[in-house]
Amino acid sequence: MIDREAELRRLMIRGLDGDPVAWRMLLTEIRPALAGFFQRRLAGHEADTEDLVQDCLIAIHAKRATYDRSRPFTAWAYAIARYKLIDHLRRQGRRHSVPIEDADVLLAEHTVEDGVVRRDLGKLLSILPRRQRRLVEDVRLGGYSVAEAAARNGFTEGAAKVSVHRSLKTLSATVRSPGVRHEN
Amino acid sequence: MKTDDLIEALAAGLEPARPARIHPLWVAGAFGAAAVGVMLLLGLRPDLPAALTGPVFWLKALYSAAMAGAALVLVSRLGRPAVSAHRALQGLLLVIGAALLFAGIELALTPVADWSRSWLGLTWSYCARNILLVSVFAAPLIWLGARPLAPTRPMASGAALGLLTGAIAATAYGLHCPEATAPFVVTWYTLGMALAAGIGAAVGRFALRW
């Protein structure tokens, strides 16, 4: 994933310098990720996906000068995609917040929105008590086994399993409840 | 149009891009327009030549210009997708905090009997309104100048643009306003800028779509 970010950023910077080949490659590269991003969030309106992808590619092209070369490309592109999605939903007059996916999906997924998701995830995880939070982070993000994570955080292995399970349930319930919205 | 063709077309016409910003000429133009607005609507203060030689005129200008500078940074940050505006916001609060401190010290050195005069001056009831009025002259240039940016939070960006407009207007308003106390400036000038920011937020919601 880091390699992909570096590759996309390299293409972006070459594009900013006026290299049409790099620019075509970049737009082609991110197109499937954009399509996936929009499709997942357009429940029942998947037909709009391609329009939104085109809209977003045009926006990325037209606003490319707002990219800061020292920052992650994926976060920038994701912020534009998200803006275009919200604008699209608003235009349709639907009062609709962009839902956060179920926590499990977030934890497993690596897509164009990786960097930003990680930040959103941090926010989400902050609703857990600190010890449980550490445990979840170690197991689901840090790549530790349950036994290792339990030892690190002073749980027995059985208790750790239960705690992780409960934490994920809490998180899932939180992202599903309509009271929690993505900040605009 | 097919997406492949679109990508082809976008890449074909590609030109090098320099970092997006509000060009300083727009800001300078907005200040010029605001100054013209002050002269047309309100007139210059009669003692302007004398005021230019004293420190108070320049301290007022320093405050509103610093607010404009902080607002410009805020606008630039909010106009870049995925860039945090926290630091810029802190900068803005720092400017206001420094002005409050200055006003507090000045008030502490003022006899209590004179506090209300120091705070209200002679023109408190229309200072903020005048700043809004002058903002109308500066606003078109500032908002046109912001077009290269890509604000993903239209209301916040609108508020920042409104604040920038108001701060430029307040700086120009110093050419008319004879008030000379820090408590006055910190209260009523800031109120004028804040009102401009509020209007900017409402306008931004609709005007900043891209």
Side-chain angles (χ1 to χ4, degrees), chain B residues 10-169:
Chain B
L10 292 179
L14 192 73
E15 282 172 18
R18 304 182 58 190
R21 58 171 181 162
I22 295 186
H23 197 281
L25 278 179
W26 289 107
V27 178
F31 178 75
V36 169
V38 168
M39 286 185 253
L40 288 180
L41 294 181
L42 308 167
L44 301 177
R45 55 191 281 191
D47 62 342
L48 184 62
L52 286 174
T53 61
V56 174
F57 175 89
W58 296 107
L59 280 172
K60 280 163 68 180
L62 178 69
Y63 172 57
S64 49
M67 287 293 282
L72 186 61
V73 174
L74 189 62
V75 164
S76 314
R77 310 283 291 181
L78 286 169
R80 289 171 171 266
V83 171
S84 160
H86 284 181
R87 292 270 294 279
L89 209 55
Q90 281 169 8
L92 184 70
L93 293 177
L94 205 68
V95 172
I96 296 174
L100 277 173
L101 188 68
F102 190 91
I105 293 171
E106 189 179 297
L107 210 54
L109 299 173
T110 306
V112 176
D114 294 336
W115 275 16
S116 91
R117 247 198 93 192
S118 165
W119 185 47
L120 299 174
L122 297 168
T123 64
W124 69 274
S125 57
Y126 47 84
C127 171
R129 189 205 64 196
N130 279 348
I131 287 173
L132 276 188
L133 222 52
V134 176
S135 295
V136 174
F137 288 77
L141 292 157
I142 289 301
W143 288 66
L144 280 175
R147 279 176 310 169
L149 301 174
T152 52
R153 300 167 63 190
M155 280 184 78
S157 298
L161 278 172
L163 183 67
L164 174 57
T165 306
I168 289 170

Side-chain angles (χ1 to χ4, degrees), chain A residues 154-165:
Chain A
F155 285 86
T156 66
E157 193 177 338
K161 263 184 198 157
V162 172
S163 176
V164 169
H165 179 74

